[in-house]
Amino acid sequence: GHHLHRQGESDAHWSITMGEKEGLKIEKKGSAEVAQVEADIDKLKNEAAQPGAMLTTIEKMLAQEKTYRLQADFVATPRYCVGIMQVLHAAGDWKGINEHIVLLSKRRAQLKQAISAMVKEAITYIDRAPNLEVKTDLIETLNTVTSGKIFVEVEKARLTRALAKIKEEAGKIDEAASIMQEVAVETYGALSKHEKLFFIEEQVRLCLDKGDYIRAQILSRKINAKSFDEIVKAEKKAAIEAAKKAGEDVSQMDLDKDMTEEERAKEEKKKNASVEHAEGYFEATDPTIPPVPELKLRYYHLMIRFYSHSNEYLEICRCYQNIMECEGVKEDPSKWTPVMKKVVWYVALAANEPMQQSLLHQISKDAKLADLPLHKQLMKQFTTKEIIHWDTLAAAFGSEMAAEADIFGGDDGEKRKKDLRQRVIEHNLLVIGAYYSRVTLQRLGELLCLPADETEKHLSDLVTSKKVSAKIDRPGGVVDFKTKAQGADWLLNQWVGKIDKLLNTLDKANHLIHKEAMAHKVSLEA
């Protein structure tokens, strides 16, 4: 069968080249033939509409389809396949439609064009299905037929999405997730980037709904956050090109003004490169898909859901920062104000590390904080080297914390309050470490508003995580902050410093000896 299919393809190719050679003559004949084929099909359709004549008519149509198929006639064969579908649809024989889709797609040396036309025709019937069961059956049949065939991959992706949607609406999240995961959509060449992004987002969303966080992370890595902006730029460019073609007066300035210097340089480079890359063929994006800016927001909200599961506060904070830069949010204060508040809270919750410190200082300088005095004060307290009293902080920000139900409400709410308290204690210990060289445990406890055993625990945690260097004299009840943690790096640095000094001294001595020798005209060669 496979060999014959190849034969069919080459026949098709041959008839095209012959057509090209003979030029217009065959064109006219071709269009007359097409009209004849369509007339035959219409006649058969009318016959099938007579009571009791459907089965015999379909037999006739199948026989005709076979003749044309073996001649590798890619004009008539698809039309007959579609005709059979239409006859069955007109008769309301849904079972027959499913059977004939499979039957026709599996016939020997079946043409790609025929399968493609048949699938496209059957997709239009999905929404007209009388009930959910029939609809699901039809989608599943089409899914089976399209799988593994590159020329109907766009249909395959859309069918998969439709089937997953039906399963999800029926409450079968696991099934919906596994249906979506079967499709590695990033390998589908004919799908537009826009549609691929939406598809992967749906895959991630269903994995999160199902609670499969590891797979959600793997899938989310397929999305590059920069691609959202790239698509918007490409769409703008395409729209301007289309306007130019339509004869509207679009100056090059409109195209250039959105470009940065870097992008202009890239464009120039592209123009100068000798190799011209062929533009791929893309199907038009499904109109039911949300626009790109909306997809960008959805992506960050999905990532926030993912990071919230493992309480990665710094990553959540960065997601919210990106949301503030999104189109539709940055221009509207009513939208960015609640996001800015979340950015402040999450950066305060994040553990102390260089990245968190740089974000903290960056956020505290943000002009948008001017309208949020309380949050500005919170940032100021965390960036100032002064002790923060937890009780005062909890009282001052109690109402704000209660208002942030997403952060401090729900199942994780208590944990996050504890984490915030932990951050305050860490901040205080770092401040004390900077100001004191020795302090009694009792005094340290008073400064931190903590009992002695808890103070010791928190201090030990910070020492083990190398954020503070201290030694605790437990019998004496004294903490010594001045003992610098002298690890391997420190030793190596010391050694390098000393060797450097030695070599410099040698160099200097050598220079001076030469100078003396020159002055006294003494030869140094022994």
Side-chain angles (χ1 to χ4, degrees):
H2 182 69
H3 175 70
L4 271 161
H5 183 66
R6 285 266 158 248
Q7 179 64 40
E9 273 179 30
S10 59
D11 277 358
H13 179 68
W14 179 80
S15 61
I16 289 171
T17 45
M18 282 299 285
E20 279 170 6
K21 277 180 194 161
E22 289 188 22
L24 294 170
K25 195 168 64 187
I26 220 161
E27 283 293 307
K28 282 179 186 160
K29 187 176 157 214
S31 54
E33 269 185 0
V34 170
Q36 182 57 47
V37 167
E38 285 180 347
D40 291 349
I41 293 175
D42 288 339
K43 194 173 151 199
L44 286 164
K45 273 193 213 165
N46 294 334
E47 263 180 50
Q50 307 303 322
M54 186 183 82
L55 289 172
T56 48
T57 314
I58 283 186
E59 286 301 316
K60 280 186 199 168
M61 289 175 99
L62 286 171
Q64 285 280 47
E65 183 268 338
K66 180 180 181 182
T67 317
Y68 284 117
R69 173 164 44 87
L70 296 177
Q71 289 171 6
D73 186 331
F74 53 83
V75 175
T77 317
R79 284 178 167 76
Y80 269 99
C81 289
V82 170
I84 293 168
M85 295 282 102
Q86 287 167 342
V87 167
L88 289 163
H89 181 246
D93 183 357
W94 292 94
K95 192 161 175 277
I97 290 178
N98 282 345
E99 284 167 4
H100 281 81
I101 290 172
V102 175
L103 172 85
L104 286 166
S105 68
K106 284 191 176 165
R107 295 191 94 169
R108 191 173 65 124
Q110 185 56 283
L111 306 172
K112 288 178 183 179
Q113 291 90 337
I115 295 177
S116 186
M118 194 166 61
V119 169
K120 284 190 170 100
E121 178 66 25
I123 284 178
T124 60
Y125 301 160
I126 291 174
D127 292 333
R128 301 181 213 159
N131 57 41
L132 192 64
E133 194 183 334
V134 170
K135 190 176 181 177
T136 313
D137 281 349
L138 180 58
I139 293 177
E140 280 174 351
T141 306
L142 287 168
N143 233 342
T144 318
V145 169
T146 53
S147 82
K149 297 184 175 72
I150 290 177
F151 52 93
V152 281
E153 62 185 6
V154 174
E155 283 78 12
K156 166 79 178 160
R158 290 175 186 172
L159 287 164
T160 306
R161 230 177 52 228
L163 188 58
K165 194 176 176 192
I166 290 172
K167 296 285 183 198
E168 191 184 356
E169 281 165 3
K172 300 174 181 169
I173 298 287
D174 289 13
E175 273 185 50
S178 55
I179 287 167
M180 285 294 270
Q181 273 158 35
E182 282 169 17
V183 178
V185 79
E186 64 279 9
T187 62
Y188 284 14
L191 267 184
S192 66
K193 263 189 182 177
H194 186 161
E195 200 160 335
K196 281 184 194 172
L197 282 173
F198 179 65
F199 199 97
I200 299 172
E201 278 184 15
E202 285 295 282
Q203 288 178 323
V204 174
R205 183 179 63 79
L206 286 166
C207 283
L208 290 174
D209 289 348
K210 184 180 162 188
D212 186 348
Y213 289 92
I214 292 169
R215 186 160 274 136
Q217 185 182 19
I218 294 167
L219 288 166
S220 69
R221 284 188 184 143
K222 291 179 182 176
I223 296 181
N224 179 358
K226 286 179 188 166
S227 53
F228 294 105
D229 300 330
E230 283 167 15
I231 294 171
V232 171
K233 274 186 188 139
E235 282 178 0
K236 266 188 195 168
K237 205 170 175 186
I240 289 173
E241 290 294 323
K244 270 188 181 173
K245 272 187 189 162
E248 288 174 29
D249 183 31
V250 181
S251 64
Q252 190 62 29
M253 291 295 288
D254 294 348
L255 254 173
D256 291 345
K257 71 177 177 202
D258 296 331
M259 283 186 169
T260 60
E261 280 300 316
E262 218 171 286
E263 283 164 356
R264 274 201 200 108
K266 267 190 197 166
E267 282 287 313
E268 272 306 306
K269 211 170 177 187
K270 261 191 198 169
K271 278 181 193 166
N272 300 338
S274 53
V275 184
E276 281 286 319
H277 289 288
E279 276 294 316
Y281 164 71
F282 294 111
E283 274 285 333
T285 306
D286 184 349
T288 56
I289 288 176
V292 180
E294 205 173 308
L295 287 185
K296 191 175 180 180
L297 275 174
R298 267 184 55 143
Y299 166 70
Y300 287 122
H301 282 300
L302 286 170
M303 293 318 292
I304 288 165
R305 268 181 69 188
F306 169 71
Y307 290 126
S308 299
H309 171 70
S310 48
N311 284 324
E312 291 180 52
Y313 301 127
L314 198 63
E315 290 301 331
I316 299 174
C317 170
R318 288 165 74 178
C319 284
Y320 276 120
Q321 273 191 308
N322 285 320
I323 286 176
M324 282 183 64
E325 292 306 312
C326 284
E327 202 178 309
V329 176
K330 60 182 174 188
E331 306 92 358
D332 187 351
S334 64
K335 284 185 182 167
W336 64 247
T337 307
V339 177
M340 187 72 201
K341 288 179 178 178
K342 287 186 171 63
V343 168
V344 168
W345 281 115
Y346 278 114
V347 79
L349 279 165
N352 189 306
E353 52 169 314
M355 187 70 200
Q356 185 260 358
Q357 283 299 308
S358 89
L359 262 183
L360 186 69
H361 287 280
Q362 181 193 331
I363 292 163
S364 62
K365 287 181 187 130
D366 196 318
K368 291 190 171 104
L369 269 184
D371 305 333
L372 304 167
L374 265 176
H375 294 80
K376 190 172 177 124
Q377 188 191 332
L378 182 70
M379 288 290 92
K380 194 172 179 221
Q381 284 188 312
F382 273 102
T383 48
T384 313
K385 284 202 169 178
E386 282 178 18
I387 286 173
I388 304 171
H389 288 289
W390 169 249
D391 300 338
T392 328
L393 185 100
F397 295 97
S399 59
E400 276 296 330
M401 282 159 84
E404 291 286 357
D406 292 354
I407 307 177
F408 299 106
D411 305 337
D412 291 336
E414 281 310 306
K415 182 188 180 306
R416 286 177 179 177
K417 279 179 189 161
K418 275 184 189 157
D419 281 349
L420 187 63
R421 184 160 181 250
Q422 177 71 19
R423 297 293 163 260
V424 170
I425 292 166
E426 281 178 16
H427 170 83
N428 291 347
L429 274 168
L430 288 166
V431 170
I432 294 166
Y435 286 128
Y436 282 81
S437 52
R438 297 184 77 203
V439 63
T440 62
L441 258 176
Q442 187 189 349
R443 174 72 183 134
L444 189 61
E446 283 170 20
L447 288 170
L448 296 174
C449 317
L450 290 174
D453 53 345
E454 242 187 278
T455 307
E456 197 175 310
K457 182 191 169 297
H458 286 298
L459 183 58
S460 309
D461 288 346
L462 277 182
V463 172
T464 47
S465 62
K466 293 204 167 76
K467 285 176 186 164
V468 168
S469 50
K471 281 188 177 171
I472 304 173
D473 173 6
R474 288 177 95 174
V478 174
V479 180
D480 187 355
F481 276 112
K482 270 302 168 196
T483 50
K484 273 269 169 259
Q486 293 168 357
D489 291 352
W490 180 83
L491 274 173
L492 197 61
N493 282 341
Q494 290 292 92
W495 180 79
V496 168
K498 284 175 182 169
I499 291 289
D500 220 21
K501 204 173 172 187
L502 173 70
L503 291 174
N504 276 337
T505 315
L506 263 175
D507 209 26
K508 210 170 182 181
N510 187 12
H511 183 69
L512 287 170
I513 291 168
H514 270 286
K515 197 176 166 187
E516 289 278 298
M518 295 276 281
H520 297 290
K521 296 186 173 55
V522 178
S523 166
L524 289 173
E525 266 72 52

